[in-house]
Amino acid sequence: MYYPFYVYFSYFHPVMSTLMLNRPNLFFFIVLLIVVLTSCKEEKTVKAVAQKPPNIIYILADDLGYGDISSYNPSGKIKTPHIDALAAQGMRFTDAHSPSAVCTPTRYGILTGRYSWRSPLKSGVLTGKSKALIPKNRTTVASLLKESGYHTAFIGKWHLGWDWVQKDSTNFGGEGWNYTDFENIDFTKNIGHSPNDLGFHYAYGHSGSLDMAPYVYVENGSITAKVNRVTQDTGKYTWWRKGPTAADFVHEEVTPNFFRKSMRYIEEKSKETAPFFLYLALPSPHTPILPTEEWLGRSGINPYADFMMELDNYVGQVMKTVEDLGISENTMIIFTSDNGCSPEADFEVLAANGHDPNGGFRGHKADIYEGGHRVPFIVKWPAKISPNRISNATISLTDLMATAADLVQVTLKDNEGEDSFSLLPLFDTKDTIGYLRKATVHHSINGSFAIRKGNDKLIFAPGSGGWSYPVPDKDDVSDLPRYQLYDLSTDPSEKENLVLNHPEKVTELTRLMVSYITNGRSTPGTSQQNEPLQLNGEEWHQAKTLTTSEIR
């Protein structure tokens, strides 16, 4: 039988029963006060949860193309149900860009919020032997979050250099491309200038790409196993350079190993009160293309497609781990790629099966064209981002630094995150105009530049700046215009060069590019120095006064 609330209340609380019968007004006042105070307590609890900075899991794939994810390329033939689910549960960006079309400079930009061409690395990538690129005194996303109470971890492919101990300090022994370059490394000694020196409490990974020797894991500065053999493979998909290899390093198991370690890390840190930041930098689906036996042949296309499906499955396992631990609501999961897909994926075989890994965009990894640097970018954060959101804002992977600073309410100094803009306004449906990026700089493997403002993209080179036609210093570009201008709103495939039609846009964008170079930043603030300044500054200054006749 149903009784009014006050009947139960009076039955279980004699004092209140007496008040109810003799002083009904006082009784109802006390009840109302209890309800109000309880509500206030609950409201404060909700606000406390909402204000706690989120856990951050940043998953960076290697050489994964814009068209390799089904939600970005519905006509694609590689199935990625788990990454698609991540997009459906969060926010998918359609116009996201890596700051470079190759590995090392993009990773520099992600961790520092600064374009790599401002560092000593003006083109190309580092090797597995290269010295550390990021100085210890430069703020990184990890050091910023660490100082703000986060536990920080790096797991995966580093490719930003660290300092191996040399047996003979007077003989460096080569740059790291050949097997003999590693004869002088003392693999029994701890490395120097490691990820731990750049803000990571925990660091586990290998030095370069999975096809770059040496093949050893380093955990918190220590090599995890004895180097006891030399390995090399020369298969069509499984190629890697000859080099020293540790007893616990099996190429086929590297990607699964990194995912397993990451999930264990998430499980451990979920038990603690402090938020965590996990930078999971995958070596896949970059060469060597090594799906495990369980996944080999599953796509019915080629090993690259198999590898993609395996990667997708592991992303699903990370998502499930977060869900099962009950930390999903306030955990931000970001999935993206360091550049466009590589031709090593075997474009001919993929095309024959109806799959375009670069999603219809021109070019691929290494190029200044969109296929070189337009990448998938997906963010899931239930506490802040509603499901099934799509943003067409032009963003850069350098934006992680300012976003992290915004999350922990830290104001970046003038020499921090010089090319980083917070994405938080884009996450909030009430504030879509608060994202302050005015323009974005793109960079190719040979150091060619492009600048994008609105729909206009100006390329400061006659060709691709990379590996697709027209290849610099290889294909004949003498009859091509010096620069290229494209309107991406009507020509996303970059087919019609408008450089002769709009000299005023060429001048405007060139001046903006000059200011970004000479000011040492693209964000507001005091001018900074590019270190060291090895660009041809005179050419940029002369370009301020370009005319149609000069462009040819």
Side-chain angles (χ1 to χ4, degrees):
M1 182 179 293
Y2 171 80
Y3 294 101
F5 165 76
Y6 65 82
V7 173
Y8 289 105
F9 204 87
S10 62
Y11 179 80
F12 289 107
H13 298 274
V15 174
M16 296 302 288
S17 177
T18 302
L19 282 173
M20 183 187 70
L21 295 173
N22 299 308
R23 302 284 300 276
N25 292 338
L26 179 59
F27 165 77
F28 284 110
F29 173 76
I30 293 173
V31 171
L32 179 62
L33 183 62
I34 292 171
V35 170
V36 170
L37 290 175
T38 303
S39 299
C40 290
K41 182 178 181 181
E42 290 178 353
E43 183 181 356
K44 287 179 180 178
T45 302
V46 170
K47 285 184 178 179
V49 172
Q51 290 174 355
K52 179 184 176 182
N55 304 312
I56 303 171
I57 301 172
Y58 195 97
I59 305 175
L60 179 68
D62 194 358
D63 289 8
L64 181 150
Y66 186 93
D68 283 330
I69 306 302
S70 302
S71 53
Y72 282 85
N73 182 14
S75 63
K77 298 300 184 288
I78 299 176
K79 299 175 182 178
T80 55
H82 301 289
I83 299 173
D84 295 337
L86 188 71
Q89 294 166 20
M91 190 171 189
R92 176 167 62 89
F93 287 81
T94 64
D95 200 1
H97 297 264
S98 56
S100 173
V102 283
C103 300
T104 299
T106 285
R107 290 155 202 271
Y108 178 94
I110 289 170
L111 290 181
T112 66
R114 183 177 187 244
Y115 293 131
S116 178
W117 48 266
R118 301 194 189 283
S119 80
L121 185 69
K122 309 300 182 184
S123 62
V125 300
L126 300 182
T127 71
K129 190 184 177 183
S130 301
K131 290 186 176 295
L133 177 63
I134 303 175
K136 293 180 182 179
N137 61 355
R138 174 158 286 279
T139 301
T140 66
V141 174
S143 64
L144 181 145
L145 291 176
K146 182 179 182 180
E147 291 177 5
S148 299
Y150 273 73
H151 190 279
T152 57
F154 152 72
I155 296 175
K157 166 185 169 178
W158 184 238
H159 212 181
L160 286 165
W162 57 44
D163 297 348
W164 299 100
V165 174
Q166 306 292 315
K167 297 174 183 176
D168 178 1
S169 59
T170 63
N171 176 26
F172 186 69
E175 297 179 351
W177 294 110
N178 302 309
Y179 169 64
T180 55
D181 295 345
F182 305 98
E183 294 177 346
N184 193 39
I185 293 180
D186 187 345
F187 290 110
T188 66
K189 302 288 179 61
N190 288 359
I191 65 167
H193 205 142
S194 74
N196 300 99
D197 296 309
L198 298 170
F200 289 101
H201 286 101
Y202 178 76
Y204 176 91
H206 58 83
S207 59
S209 296
L210 196 52
D211 56 14
M212 292 180 176
Y215 306 115
V216 301
Y217 292 121
V218 174
E219 184 172 35
N220 293 332
S222 300
I223 297 169
T224 60
K226 184 178 180 180
V227 172
N228 65 351
R229 67 194 194 281
V230 173
T231 63
Q232 180 180 22
D233 199 298
T234 56
K236 179 178 180 180
Y237 294 102
T238 61
W239 175 87
W240 66 80
R241 295 171 180 84
K242 180 181 179 182
T245 307
D248 63 348
F249 199 98
V250 179
H251 278 73
E252 290 83 354
E253 285 296 318
V254 172
T255 290
N257 181 30
F258 288 152
F259 271 110
R260 287 191 294 264
K261 274 197 170 289
S262 294
M263 287 182 279
R264 284 197 295 271
Y265 173 82
I266 295 168
E267 290 171 359
E268 292 171 3
K269 295 306 163 188
S270 69
K271 302 171 186 176
E272 301 178 7
T273 56
F276 64 83
F277 166 55
L278 169 61
Y279 171 50
L280 171 54
L282 302 173
S284 48
H286 188 292
T287 53
I289 297 168
L290 296 169
T292 56
E293 186 175 349
E294 176 188 358
W295 288 93
L296 190 61
R298 290 277 286 271
S299 70
I301 299 175
N302 72 351
Y304 176 80
D306 300 336
F307 211 16
M308 274 295 310
M309 291 177 66
E310 181 176 12
L311 187 156
D312 174 76
N313 182 265
Y314 274 115
V315 171
Q317 291 184 38
V318 171
M319 293 169 61
K320 186 177 186 301
T321 297
V322 172
E323 290 285 349
D324 290 348
L325 292 169
I327 60 172
S328 176
E329 182 69 14
N330 203 33
T331 295
M332 180 194 296
I333 302 177
I334 297 174
F335 179 86
T336 188
S337 177
D338 65 348
N339 45 250
C341 187
S342 167
E344 297 294 332
D346 201 335
F347 289 167
E348 289 187 7
V349 171
L350 293 175
N353 284 272
H355 182 76
D356 180 1
N358 290 309
F361 292 107
R362 183 178 181 180
H364 47 66
K365 175 183 177 176
D367 294 345
I368 201 64
Y369 297 125
E370 291 292 290
H373 49 78
R374 189 180 290 226
V375 293
F377 191 90
I378 298 168
V379 187
K380 178 191 174 186
W381 181 18
K384 185 73 173 178
I385 300 173
S386 54
N388 290 304
R389 298 246 338 260
I390 297 175
S391 173
N392 298 318
T394 307
I395 68 170
S396 171
L397 300 196
T398 58
D399 290 337
L400 180 62
M401 170 67 86
T403 304
D406 207 355
L407 284 170
V408 295
Q409 300 179 13
V410 169
T411 301
L412 292 175
K413 300 174 184 176
D414 281 330
N415 63 347
E416 298 174 335
E418 292 93 332
D419 302 296
S420 188
F421 296 83
S422 175
L423 297 172
L424 287 195
L426 295 175
F427 298 165
D428 192 340
T429 55
K430 300 176 183 178
D431 184 12
T432 57
I433 61 173
Y435 178 60
L436 302 178
R437 176 173 291 279
K438 179 181 179 181
T440 305
V441 177
H442 310 306
H443 205 226
S444 75
I445 191 171
N446 83 334
S448 294
F449 285 91
I451 188 167
R452 164 86 178 278
K453 181 183 179 185
N455 292 317
D456 296 321
K457 177 181 177 182
L458 179 62
I459 299 174
F460 298 93
S464 70
W467 300 338
S468 72
Y469 180 85
V471 179
D473 303 322
K474 181 178 178 182
D475 297 318
D476 185 9
V477 297
S478 60
D479 294 330
L480 298 175
R482 180 182 175 189
Y483 294 163
Q484 303 170 68
L485 177 68
Y486 298 104
D487 181 349
L488 297 182
S489 65
T490 59
D491 183 23
S493 298
E494 299 172 283
K495 294 179 179 178
E496 184 181 3
N497 187 356
L498 302 174
V499 73
L500 296 177
N501 303 59
H502 297 285
E504 76 287 354
K505 289 186 177 181
V506 173
T507 300
E508 175 196 356
L509 293 173
T510 302
R511 286 174 175 169
L512 184 59
M513 184 73 218
V514 170
S515 72
Y516 283 179
I517 292 175
T518 56
N519 291 338
R521 67 183 319 119
S522 56
T523 54
T526 305
S527 295
Q528 299 296 305
Q529 281 291 111
N530 299 321
E531 44 164 353
L533 187 60
Q534 296 177 349
L535 298 167
N536 188 345
E538 184 60 29
E539 180 180 346
W540 289 111
H541 286 291
Q542 290 175 353
K544 287 183 180 180
T545 56
L546 280 175
T547 64
T548 304
S549 60
E550 288 177 305
I551 300 171
R552 294 180 34 183

